[in-house]
Amino acid sequence: MAIIGIDLGTTNSLVSVWAQQGSELIKNPLGKVLTPSVVGLNDDGTVLVGQAAAERLITHPQETVGDFKRLMGTDSPVRLGKRDFRPEELSSLVLRALKGDAENYFGFSVDEAIISVPAYFNDIQRKAVMGAGKLAGLKVERLVNEPTAAALAYGLNELEEDRFLIFDLGGGTFDVSILEKYENIMEVRASAGDNYLGGNDFRDVVVQMIAQRHDIILAEIAPEVYNRLLRLGESVKVALSSAHESSYHILVGGKLCEGRITREDFEQASAGLIRSLRAPLERAIADSLIAPEEIENIVLVGGATRMPLIRRLVTRLFGKLPLCHLNPETLVGLGTAVQVGLKSRDHMLEDVVMTDVCPYTLGTDVLDHMSANENDMVMSPIIERNAVVPISRSRIYTTSYDRQDKVRISIFQGENLRPENNILLGALDLDVPKNGAGEEEVEVRFTYDVNGALEVEAQSLSLKKVERKVLRNETTISGEELDRRFDELQSIKLHPRERAESKALLARGERIYAESLGSKREYVHGLLRQFETQISDQRNRNTLQEHEAFSEVLDLMERSVFDPEQF
Ligand code: ADP
Ligand code: MG
């Protein structure tokens, strides 16, 4: 039975296998290794995943969603057509599509996966990813941190000894890891990041610029128009990675808004985001105890690192150019397969040892003796950030008032002195014998495994009684709920893969129709009808030619160099 590796990205997802020659990326029905992490309801009730859904964000905004990785670990429902979905259910639909691609590749079924998650995902978010796997019918015994996966893919074939930094800026998250490699041991020295910072924020900078210039009030426009603006912002942003300026035009409420944005304008407007990138970088460097000039290589990961301003920032900070022979979008995906190889103890990887760290501090809250206010609580770290995992640490605490008979151990994650500013992961209650303040001792032990799962044990030293809790937090769904949702999701069918390419092209045509005007629009309409007839003709078994022809003319339409008036 095969195990697959999955990079479940905010923007794009990939599926891979550990094959004889090493990591191999599996293609989707469109022949691409990147599958957009977008889910949509099709008119026939099936679910679309990937490119076709991505196109329909514009034409069917109520029935299509992307970016839901940002919601993983929350209870925020996402409305899709008539039904509310949990973020892990949406992710599970992406996973199911990737699983299908892998099964098509192997010719047999797949039931196990290793999935990558941002290093900075907290316990709740990790549980949500595991839940998504389960909902997709995949056993997920192991998660791997995205920068660690990228490091595995990069480090395997490179230098014997190396100190390197992984700079991963995807669509929605930013992760930095500093690693050291000697012989076959790869060690993560430090990880830091920001779960709410990515390429999308740079897109939003462009959207804001356009809105400001043309007095568009974003909160007041229809979802369809908003999605068109996002798409426009995205394409201007991407264009500015290779061109020095980009023009735009968009119809908002009957008004044509057009203009140009230069790279300089864009970079100036992005200054705040660039500042936010510095904090995790500086923290990772400080925690790694490696000086910036000792870092030999900088590996850029994530599509957003294609922006020149990111490359400049990295060059300035480290005094050297980042490596650019690697594809930033596929490195994590390739690395998840290496992790599969490690798990299956493949002989090719016999000597490779990878150690990872816990990227944030875990602790509990205690009375702050240094505070003037006697009820003030303060964070008491038990496992400090960037400790090598797996790890188990304990601390002894005492009761705070006379005749106290219960101790509540709240479990927090984060770096803030004030517990309320950190993330509350859960709590554990323990009975203690009534005694004077400070006379009863409680030992609290935190054990953190390689997947980022935390087990907490508390013991009253005089009663010798132990309370234990593997964090099953309040916001992720319980086992039974998961089973119920699994059954429900089974009734949802994915759009058939053999029609995926036609569907993606149709969706793209409809999107271009929605974005254009006048005679171009009529022309696209005609093309769409013609293409529909061609592919619905039962005698036409090989639609490859039609696909290619239609796709080429859509390319022309999209580049706007094509003027239908001339026909
Ligand atoms: P994720 O890990 O979030 O799925 P990816 O690594 O696929 O993300 O990166 C997606 C992000 O990269 C998007 O925000 C996208 O706009 C951005 N991106 C891709 N190519 C370019 C480019 N040429 N210039 C600027 N940004 C790009
Ligand atoms: Mg990514």
Side-chain angles (χ1 to χ4, degrees):
M1 193 56 86
I3 311 178
I4 51 176
I6 292 177
D7 168 7
L8 183 64
T10 312
T11 325
N12 292 300
S13 296
L14 297 93
V15 53
S16 57
V17 285
W18 182 249
Q20 264 167 352
Q21 311 77 3
S23 294
E24 197 175 316
L25 299 170
I26 296 175
K27 292 189 172 132
N28 63 27
L30 308 185
K32 301 271 167 48
V33 296
L34 297 185
T35 297
S37 310
V38 184
V39 170
L41 285 185
N42 193 20
D43 315 321
D44 64 3
T46 58
V47 163
L48 295 165
V49 173
Q51 193 56 43
E55 301 286 3
R56 285 164 62 99
L57 275 171
I58 302 288
T59 52
H60 300 75
Q62 316 288 358
E63 286 95 35
T64 320
V65 343
D67 274 357
F68 40 83
K69 183 176 174 180
R70 284 194 181 216
L71 301 174
M72 288 294 273
T74 71
D75 272 329
S76 310
V78 181
R79 189 138 202 109
L80 207 57
K82 294 197 180 70
R83 206 189 131 177
D84 278 341
F85 285 83
R86 287 185 62 93
E88 49 269 67
E89 291 182 291
L90 296 170
S91 294
S92 84
L93 293 167
V94 175
L95 293 175
R96 211 209 284 180
L98 297 172
K99 175 176 181 267
D101 293 344
E103 289 173 343
N104 183 61
Y105 167 95
F106 289 122
F108 51 80
S109 69
V110 171
D111 70 349
E112 190 171 346
I114 289 181
I115 304 178
S116 58
V117 292
Y120 221 60
F121 253 21
N122 65 40
D123 201 64
I124 300 170
Q125 293 167 305
R126 285 165 196 261
K127 292 260 160 59
V129 172
M130 291 197 145
K134 200 162 173 198
L135 290 173
L138 286 167
K139 197 162 88 198
V140 185
E141 278 181 5
R142 185 83 162 79
L143 298 175
V144 57
N145 289 331
E146 287 168 9
T148 308
L152 277 171
Y154 157 76
L156 214 54
N157 310 311
E158 300 282 331
L159 311 163
E160 277 283 289
E161 287 188 13
D162 195 6
R163 289 202 184 101
F164 60 101
L165 180 137
I166 303 277
F167 183 108
D168 182 353
L169 190 65
T173 52
F174 176 45
D175 268 313
V176 193
S177 284
I178 296 174
L179 291 99
E180 186 162 23
K181 185 187 176 196
Y182 43 93
E183 289 156 11
N184 285 316
I185 301 173
M186 236 185 300
E187 201 177 279
V188 179
R189 294 286 297 264
S191 276
D194 188 330
N195 277 337
Y196 297 95
L197 181 58
N200 289 343
D201 299 294
F202 289 86
R203 168 200 69 194
D204 294 345
V205 163
V206 178
V207 170
Q208 292 289 350
M209 287 171 82
I210 296 175
Q212 246 168 30
R213 283 188 190 179
H214 303 279
D215 298 322
I216 302 166
I217 301 166
L218 294 174
E220 289 175 7
I221 56 179
E224 183 258 347
V225 182
Y226 184 67
N227 283 352
R228 273 199 290 125
L229 254 174
L230 289 184
R231 208 191 131 75
L232 181 69
E234 176 72 17
S235 69
V236 168
K237 176 192 77 175
V238 170
L240 289 176
S241 291
S242 44
H244 283 276
E245 62 172 36
S246 173
S247 60
Y248 62 84
H249 51 95
I250 186 170
L251 209 60
V252 180
K255 195 178 98 188
L256 183 66
C257 308
E258 55 184 342
R260 10 183 102 248
I261 291 180
T262 65
R263 190 187 282 172
E264 213 184 333
D265 294 340
F266 167 62
E267 293 187 349
Q268 260 171 19
S270 304
L273 293 177
I274 292 295
R275 271 195 299 279
S276 321
L277 288 169
R278 292 186 68 130
L281 274 171
E282 281 161 8
R283 190 153 83 196
I285 291 169
D287 287 0
S288 71
L289 304 175
I290 295 176
E293 57 277 12
E294 287 177 323
I295 294 172
E296 286 150 313
N297 286 297
I298 295 144
V299 182
L300 297 181
V301 179
T305 60
R306 293 189 189 274
M307 289 186 289
L309 84 171
I310 297 296
R311 295 182 178 228
R312 266 206 324 276
L313 170 78
V314 169
T315 310
R316 207 172 54 232
L317 286 178
F318 297 96
K320 58 175 70 79
L321 290 168
L323 297 177
C324 51
H325 65 288
L326 302 156
N327 180 349
E329 273 117 349
T330 55
L331 220 50
V332 173
L334 288 167
T336 56
V338 180
Q339 189 66 57
V340 169
L342 284 174
K343 182 173 191 271
S344 16
R345 300 182 187 283
D346 188 279
H347 66 276
M348 242 166 92
L349 298 172
E350 245 161 26
D351 318 324
V352 179
V353 178
M354 180 86 212
T355 68
D356 211 336
V357 296
C358 149
Y360 29 65
T361 299
L362 295 161
T364 186
D365 57 344
V366 293
L367 283 175
D368 186 358
H369 294 300
M370 286 189 234
S371 167
N373 182 345
E374 62 180 30
N375 291 323
D376 269 357
M377 302 297 274
V378 65
M379 179 88 172
S380 166
I382 296 178
I383 294 179
E384 294 221 85
R385 70 161 187 263
N386 288 319
V388 174
V389 290
I391 186 172
S392 188
R393 286 273 179 279
S394 69
R395 275 183 86 157
I396 292 178
Y397 298 96
T398 54
T399 44
S400 7
Y401 52 89
D402 289 341
R403 302 186 58 74
Q404 179 172 355
D405 61 350
K406 255 191 182 22
V407 176
R408 160 156 287 202
I409 293 123
S410 300
I411 303 139
F412 287 96
Q413 171 191 304
E415 312 308 320
N416 205 285
L417 180 68
R418 302 266 154 244
E420 64 273 21
N421 295 335
N422 293 320
I423 296 168
L424 177 65
L425 295 177
L428 185 66
D429 289 322
L430 181 75
D431 292 329
V432 288
K434 287 184 188 158
N435 219 327
E439 284 177 7
E440 279 302 318
E441 288 182 323
V442 172
E443 181 177 4
V444 179
R445 175 170 293 278
F446 280 14
T447 306
Y448 194 80
D449 76 7
V450 288
N451 287 327
L454 178 66
E455 188 185 274
V456 178
E457 271 177 10
Q459 182 182 27
S460 148
L461 292 186
S462 51
L463 287 182
K464 299 276 176 238
K465 198 170 152 247
V466 182
E467 291 290 339
R468 189 172 282 118
K469 188 164 195 170
V470 176
L471 280 199
R472 269 261 305 277
N473 27 68
E474 290 67 33
T475 51
T476 27
I477 39 184
S478 66
E480 298 125 55
E481 172 79 357
L482 212 60
D483 289 342
R484 188 179 65 71
R485 291 190 182 252
F486 178 80
D487 293 339
E488 262 181 48
L489 281 172
Q490 290 314 298
S491 64
I492 296 179
K493 296 279 169 272
L494 295 188
H495 187 73
R497 55 178 295 118
E498 59 277 11
R499 295 217 301 272
E501 190 160 9
S502 310
K503 184 70 202 178
L505 283 170
L506 279 173
R508 183 171 169 217
E510 283 172 25
R511 193 250 307 151
I512 296 175
Y513 176 89
E515 287 171 345
S516 36
L517 289 171
S519 56
K520 182 169 171 186
R521 186 168 242 204
E522 275 319 298
Y523 191 77
V524 177
H525 181 195
L527 287 171
L528 270 168
R529 288 288 164 265
Q530 187 190 352
F531 181 65
E532 265 169 354
T533 318
Q534 282 170 346
I535 56 169
S536 63
D537 185 344
Q538 295 300 325
R539 286 162 308 176
N540 192 351
R541 293 179 145 251
N542 187 355
T543 48
L544 203 66
Q545 267 184 340
E546 281 83 7
H547 282 166
E548 272 178 20
F550 189 50
S551 154
E552 270 168 33
V553 44
L554 291 180
D555 285 346
L556 284 173
M557 292 269 131
E558 200 148 30
R559 271 184 266 134
S560 290
V561 288
F562 184 82
D563 182 3
E565 303 274 301
Q566 293 181 353
F567 278 71

